[in-house]
Amino acid sequence: MIDLYTWPTPNGHKIHIMLEECGLPYKVHPINIGTGDQFKPEFLKISPNNKIPALVDSDGPDGQPIALFESGAILLYLAGKTGQFLPQSDRAKYDVLQWLMFQMGGVGPMLGQAHHFRIYAPEKIDYGINRYTNEAKRLYGVMDKQLQSHQWIAGDEYSVADMAIFPWLRSWQNQGIDWADYPHLKAWFDRIAERPAVQKAVQVLADARKPLLDDKAKKALFGAAQYKKR
């Protein structure tokens, strides 16, 4: 059994999707990032960077338990454990890995900043809004061009790279995106959204997530608590 410590965010959904696609049994432990669960000592033992998701696999390497944090590392661990969604050949594997790193280094951080400046920032700063909205559009354009000649983001096979990117695009409206500008990417997005495992995965803890309207939630996510030495 895998114990998954998570919340219904794009990074959490990556792992929900992978677990559902692989058919692995898992138990969900909610980490409510709006109330500060991510700073509790018991969670920090698993995820020292106080971010979700994290997991504990009781049947890890050599049959011993393993704890992991960082969504990209978890995806690669689960791919190795199951032999699924990461090609075996070196060429195809590195095609997938470069697009997974593209998500980790670009799509996630930049779209996250677009969300922050467009939706959550206490003051509307035109420079921040324009910078990250334009970067979101640029990244969407990179992916749209890639998908002009490929069925999936890294080639002909659905992979961990697709699972990593998809959840970040579910909030396209908040990123200032018009799908009409990215028809190939939209077709890819719709193919993934129709997968039964994905439909099940995005419902994990969906009823628990509330809009970040109160000051306590905003402080937990964006305030001094984030920067406290632990």
Side-chain angles (χ1 to χ4, degrees):
M1 176 64 70
I2 288 174
D3 289 288
L4 179 65
Y5 300 82
T6 188
W7 196 243
T9 69
N11 284 332
H13 285 319
K14 295 179 197 176
I15 309 307
H16 308 166
I17 292 170
M18 181 63 168
L19 288 166
E20 291 292 342
E21 292 281 13
C22 292
L24 288 172
Y26 64 101
K27 180 180 180 181
V28 171
H29 301 268
I31 302 296
N32 189 331
I33 60 176
T35 60
D37 287 353
Q38 67 272 37
F39 305 121
K40 292 180 177 179
E42 56 268 31
F43 180 65
L44 291 173
K45 288 180 181 179
I46 305 168
S47 181
N49 194 35
N50 65 260
K51 305 292 184 183
I52 63 93
L55 66 71
V56 176
D57 184 1
S58 59
D59 182 25
D62 303 319
Q64 300 299 310
I66 186 172
L68 290 167
F69 69 102
E70 283 295 327
S71 58
I74 294 170
L75 285 174
L76 293 176
Y77 170 74
L78 294 173
K81 179 182 178 73
T82 63
Q84 298 184 68
F85 304 112
L86 184 64
Q88 295 299 309
S89 74
D90 284 345
R91 184 175 298 276
K93 178 175 69 177
Y94 287 116
D95 281 341
V96 169
L97 290 177
Q98 68 182 349
W99 285 100
L100 177 61
M101 297 305 111
F102 169 82
Q103 186 282 309
M104 300 298 296
V107 170
M110 296 299 104
L111 299 192
Q113 293 293 343
H115 287 168
H116 183 81
F117 282 100
R118 292 175 61 90
I119 308 297
Y120 299 120
E123 354 174 7
K124 298 302 180 186
I125 303 171
D126 287 342
Y127 177 82
I129 292 170
N130 292 335
R131 173 176 170 79
Y132 291 108
T133 300
N134 288 335
E135 180 63 3
K137 292 178 178 179
R138 188 189 73 79
L139 292 168
Y140 272 68
V142 171
M143 293 183 283
D144 189 70
K145 184 175 181 180
Q146 169 71 359
L147 289 160
Q148 288 180 14
S149 55
H150 299 86
Q151 183 177 9
W152 303 106
I153 196 69
D156 297 328
E157 295 184 12
Y158 177 63
S159 73
V160 290
D162 299 286
M163 298 180 206
I165 292 170
F166 170 80
W168 280 100
L169 309 194
R170 296 179 69 232
S171 296
W172 55 273
Q173 289 176 306
N174 290 344
Q175 300 154 12
I177 295 298
D178 183 346
W179 270 133
D181 296 330
Y182 311 99
H184 306 285
L185 184 59
K186 180 59 163 63
W188 167 91
F189 181 89
D190 289 343
R191 284 197 299 275
I192 296 179
E194 291 170 359
R195 296 177 69 91
V198 173
Q199 293 176 358
K200 186 175 180 181
V202 297
Q203 292 304 312
V204 173
L205 297 177
D207 293 339
R209 187 175 183 181
K210 307 296 181 186
L212 299 174
L213 300 177
D214 62 275
D215 289 339
K216 182 179 179 181
K218 291 179 180 179
K219 286 180 180 178
L221 285 172
F222 312 126
Q226 279 289 337
Y227 311 113
K228 182 179 178 182
K229 186 176 180 179
R230 291 180 173 80

